Amino acid sequence: MSDPVSPPQKPLAACIRGVTRSFGDGGTKLLVLKGVDLDVRCGDITMLVGPSGCGKTTLISIIAGTLAADDGQLEVFGNDLRKMSKAAITRFRAHTIGFIFQQFNLIPTLNCIENASVPLLIQGCSTRLAEKKARALLEQVGLGEHAKKRPSQLSGGQQQRVAIARALVHDPRLIICDEPTAALDAKNGLLVMEIFEQVARSPERAVLIVTHDNRIFSHANRIASLDDGKVTDVHDADGSSPLPDHIANLAHG
Amino acid sequence: MLRLALKMLFGDTGKYLMLIAGLVFATFLMAQQAAVFCGLMSWTTATLKNVPAPIWVVEKQVEQVNETNPLLDTDVARVRSVDSIAWASPIYSGIQRVRLANGNFKIIQLIGIDATTLAGAPPKLQPGQGRLEDLRLPHAVIIDDLGRKRLASDKGRPVELGDVFELNDQEARVVGIADAMMSFTGGPYVWTTYERALQYTPAQRKMLSAVIAAPRPGVSVEQAVADIERQTGLRAFTNQGFGSSDKDFNTTTVWWYIRNTGIPISFGITVVVGFIVGMAISCQTFYSFVMENMKHLGALKAMGTSNWTLCTMLTTQAFTVGFVGYGIGMLLTGLFARAALENKQPPFYMPISVPFAVLGVILFICSLSALIGIWRVSRLEPAMVFRG
């Protein structure tokens, strides 16, 4: 077990200190995050595990800037998200963060190239250049021959690979994945993670994955467990020590 | 992103077609019904177009041209005696029955004009279809193009010059065929001389329907009308077209029909139904389209698409279906217009304001649809994409 605060050797992508977040008012107020401390490091794949309802989704939403924290400090690549305007956070997300969703969230009426080019179009890139880069990434994830197909013509694993291409096409410095293998069978889940690791891992980039799937823990550098609104443990998965039982048990929650 | 928005729209073929169908329906119904209404209203003033004269003088209770309260024959002379009048001629106008050679009866609009001046004669005879002067020949009548079909004894053989029919047991021989606007009653126009018109009509004590007149050079029509009313006590109108003035016979006639018949209510209800149905289909379908795409719009928002861009995308989608629907709707209206004008009915007249007004209504519907979508999207939290 290690401290949630990172050792100094790798630059920090996200630095979270004492972040709280509640939902509702008065008697129905529910405190979901109760002072979270966590560092997400560049070059690492950090996995966030914990039982259902422990606040994982709320935490990645806050790190992604799609949800505001009530209190605490939150810096992503040195930017204090709590001091930024909504418009600035939106621009920040467009340029800095790549997303992979549990249900892929590909637009069904667009083909793979068009779907993968969306983040560049959001940035204002020309369609031609965006689609050129999207095609190159689709080649990298092994979907070059399916580039003109629509999501409905692909398997779940292939759709998630399109989502990976979409998450990487604008070369973001932080990738946030929400249960990327939850909708896939075991074989496809592992295949997707292998491809993802090959194309996404970079010394300048941080990857934060929320998952329940303990089969993909082997891809992680660090595994942070969240329980009852707090990070209770961060395990450095460098192979020097086995995965603690309490993390493995949490992952099944 | 706008290209992407259009791809999202066109990709959902079912909803796209539904949206288009709703707007086509609304456009067609509003434009077509408004044009038929305007056409019908223009038919009410057909006599004023087919009997052209700058001034119409009628009995003082008359409010519209199809209403005839006969004048005394001497009223023609009274109008002529007004200083500002250059000429004045008697007009007979009434609905009569024609007996065809095959024994059938048809309704016509009989017009009697002054034989000397031929004032009030049809503005245009069809090329090679008789001479106006021939109206002075015995039993001579001029019919309009509609009369060629309606007054034909044999189906498939339209009336030709020289053909005869009976009016009040007296012969009427066709000496000319004119182009004319169709009458409100639907019967063809038949012109003859004033004296002969009186013979064709069952006798009454007073039979002068109106006096047509023109002002002297240098005198305005309005001034001449005022002089006639002041000096004769009769009612005089200008004939310059609907909306030209309150003293225009076209204007008073159309307004009389609007005020005293259920025609505008009937057409108005249809137009409103078109608007409501179009709006309901469009708004409901677009809202459903937005709701079905909410997950994807949320993902776009999470990935850094601004609210402004999303609003622009929705507005582009709404206005695209609006313009396509309007275009197809107007195309259908054009096809309907072509058929109506070829068949001379139903009445069809589309003032330039109608397509613009319909476009305005369609854009209003699209704006409303887009606003509903924008309202939903602006309330959308990007974090929702992580909640599955």
Side-chain angles (χ1 to χ4, degrees):
Chain A
M1 188 171 99
S2 70
D3 193 282
V5 178
S6 80
Q9 64 268 27
K10 289 181 179 175
L12 283 180
C15 177
I16 299 132
R17 297 287 179 274
V19 164
T20 63
R21 171 72 199 201
S22 59
F23 294 97
D25 287 315
T28 61
K29 188 172 181 177
L30 179 66
L31 190 59
V32 176
L33 297 183
K34 301 172 179 174
V36 171
D37 296 329
L38 181 68
D39 284 343
V40 180
R41 301 183 306 207
C42 289
D44 278 357
I45 293 180
T46 303
M47 291 192 185
L48 193 59
V49 299
S52 296
C54 71
K56 302 187 296 293
T57 300
T58 303
L59 181 58
I60 60 165
S61 298
I62 287 172
I63 296 170
T66 59
L67 193 67
D70 291 340
D71 203 359
Q73 293 177 349
L74 171 65
E75 285 189 3
V76 181
F77 294 108
N79 296 283
D80 188 344
L81 296 190
R82 297 197 67 208
K83 290 180 180 169
M84 292 166 72
S85 67
K86 276 191 174 180
I89 291 174
T90 301
R91 282 194 298 274
F92 179 76
R93 275 205 308 273
H95 287 86
T96 313
I97 303 176
F99 291 91
I100 296 175
F101 306 106
Q102 183 176 344
Q103 296 298 330
F104 325 132
N105 282 26
L106 300 174
I107 298 171
T109 52
L110 305 184
N111 64 31
C112 295
I113 291 187
E114 289 161 346
N115 264 298
S117 65
V118 164
L120 287 171
L121 297 176
I122 292 171
Q123 290 182 3
C125 185
S126 73
T127 304
R128 195 174 167 183
L129 182 61
E131 292 192 351
K132 189 180 169 188
K133 288 188 176 179
R135 179 179 280 279
L137 261 163
L138 286 171
E139 298 280 355
Q140 282 190 51
V141 297
L143 288 178
E145 64 194 57
H146 301 293
K148 291 285 184 185
K149 287 184 179 173
R150 290 190 175 188
S152 58
Q153 296 171 288
L154 303 177
S155 68
Q158 288 171 324
Q159 289 186 48
Q160 195 59 303
R161 280 146 71 186
V162 176
I164 290 169
R166 182 179 64 183
L168 291 165
V169 74
H170 54 311
D171 198 20
R173 294 165 70 195
L174 173 62
I175 296 178
I176 292 179
C177 311
D178 181 28
E179 305 274 11
T181 57
L184 305 176
D185 57 43
K187 185 182 167 191
N188 269 311
L190 289 173
L191 178 65
V192 162
M193 279 309 297
E194 280 169 19
I195 292 169
F196 177 64
E197 190 173 353
Q198 283 169 22
V199 295
R201 194 186 279 280
S202 153
E204 291 80 32
R205 179 181 290 142
V207 177
L208 179 61
I209 300 175
V210 165
T211 185
H212 278 103
D213 188 353
N214 58 8
R215 294 165 305 188
I216 66 169
F217 284 177
S218 58
H219 295 276
N221 298 93
R222 303 178 83 208
I223 300 173
S225 62
L226 193 67
D227 193 16
D228 195 26
K230 285 185 174 179
V231 173
T232 56
D233 189 10
V234 175
H235 173 74
D236 281 317
D238 54 4
S240 59
S241 58
L243 191 67
D245 287 345
H246 62 276
I247 289 182
N249 292 339
L250 277 175
H252 288 297
Chain B
M1 291 302 281
L2 298 185
R3 183 170 163 269
L4 193 139
L6 292 179
K7 284 214 158 196
M8 287 173 76
L9 174 69
F10 299 146
D12 192 344
T13 313
K15 292 226 166 30
Y16 175 64
L17 292 180
M18 190 70 175
L19 281 164
I20 295 291
L23 293 170
V24 166
F25 177 79
T27 301
F28 178 71
L29 211 56
M30 288 190 288
Q32 182 257 10
Q33 286 293 298
V36 170
F37 172 73
C38 292
L40 201 56
M41 288 299 104
S42 75
W43 276 10
T44 64
T45 62
T47 300
L48 294 169
K49 310 288 191 305
N50 295 336
V51 185
I55 296 169
W56 276 67
V57 184
V58 290
E59 201 269 338
K60 62 183 176 184
Q61 298 298 327
V62 169
E63 292 180 74
Q64 50 102 353
V65 70
N66 300 307
E67 180 184 9
T68 47
N69 282 2
L71 302 165
L72 294 169
D73 285 345
T74 52
D75 286 332
V76 181
R78 293 175 65 208
V79 175
R80 282 175 181 152
S81 68
V82 175
D83 288 343
S84 52
I85 294 302
W87 56 262
S89 295
I91 288 291
Y92 171 82
S93 175
I95 295 170
Q96 297 300 332
R97 284 202 317 164
V98 163
R99 185 173 184 274
L100 305 179
N102 62 9
N104 284 342
F105 287 90
K106 295 284 181 183
I107 297 293
I108 61 155
Q109 183 74 35
L110 183 62
I111 301 292
I113 62 172
D114 181 50
T116 309
T117 61
L118 296 181
K124 186 183 168 193
L125 288 184
Q126 292 187 345
Q129 296 291 344
R131 297 183 315 142
L132 206 55
E133 295 76 17
D134 291 346
L135 201 60
R136 298 188 182 108
L137 296 172
H139 310 298
V141 295
I142 292 175
I143 64 172
D144 64 10
D145 194 46
L146 177 69
R148 291 194 72 189
K149 293 175 197 163
R150 292 278 176 89
L151 303 181
S153 295
D154 303 326
K155 273 190 176 176
R157 182 193 169 275
V159 173
E160 301 288 349
L161 296 183
D163 285 358
V164 294
F165 50 81
E166 282 183 13
L167 264 164
N168 196 23
D169 293 334
Q170 297 179 61
E171 182 183 285
R173 182 177 299 276
V174 177
V175 297
I177 295 166
D179 284 326
M181 182 183 279
M182 195 152 152
S183 72
F184 183 65
T185 54
Y189 274 88
V190 174
W191 287 263
T192 187
T193 60
Y194 180 72
E195 288 74 16
R196 199 174 301 125
L198 300 190
Q199 292 168 15
Y200 284 149
T201 307
Q204 291 177 26
R205 192 172 68 84
K206 293 194 290 183
M207 298 189 69
L208 178 66
S209 305
V211 177
I212 57 173
R216 284 189 188 283
V219 177
S220 70
V221 180
E222 290 78 11
Q223 182 60 51
V225 162
D227 290 347
I228 292 169
E229 289 197 337
R230 190 176 65 254
Q231 292 181 34
T232 65
L234 300 172
R235 195 164 194 185
F237 293 97
T238 63
N239 182 16
Q240 296 172 309
F242 175 75
S244 58
S245 80
D246 292 343
K247 286 298 289 179
D248 182 87
F249 215 8
N250 298 273
T251 308
T252 57
T253 298
V254 169
W255 277 113
W256 187 90
Y257 277 91
I258 288 174
R259 279 196 299 265
N260 294 286
T261 68
I263 297 170
I265 293 172
S266 171
F267 280 88
I269 286 172
T270 312
V271 168
V272 169
V273 165
F275 168 70
I276 291 172
V277 171
M279 188 168 69
I281 292 176
S282 175
C283 290
Q284 199 276 333
T285 309
F286 196 75
Y287 183 73
S288 164
F289 171 76
V290 170
M291 290 306 289
E292 278 189 17
N293 280 291
M294 197 55 83
K295 188 173 80 169
H296 310 301
L297 294 170
L300 289 175
K301 208 166 178 177
M303 285 190 282
T305 309
S306 65
N307 266 338
W308 170 254
T309 304
L310 288 174
C311 292
T312 310
M313 288 171 70
L314 292 176
T315 306
T316 302
Q317 290 168 336
F319 278 74
T320 298
V321 289
F323 281 113
V324 173
Y326 174 78
I328 297 173
M330 289 308 290
L331 186 70
L332 290 179
T333 309
L335 293 175
F336 177 87
R338 191 172 152 187
L341 294 173
E342 273 178 8
N343 295 325
K344 310 263 186 191
Q345 60 180 336
F348 193 95
Y349 169 61
M350 186 177 285
I352 190 70
S353 55
V354 168
F356 283 108
V358 173
L359 178 61
V361 172
I362 293 298
L363 293 183
F364 171 76
I365 291 173
C366 294
S367 303
L368 201 63
S369 304
L371 274 176
I372 293 171
I374 287 168
W375 173 72
R376 286 291 302 165
V377 167
S378 62
R379 288 159 49 98
L380 176 68
E381 278 191 30
M384 62 83 76
V385 290
F386 293 118
R387 294 188 200 125

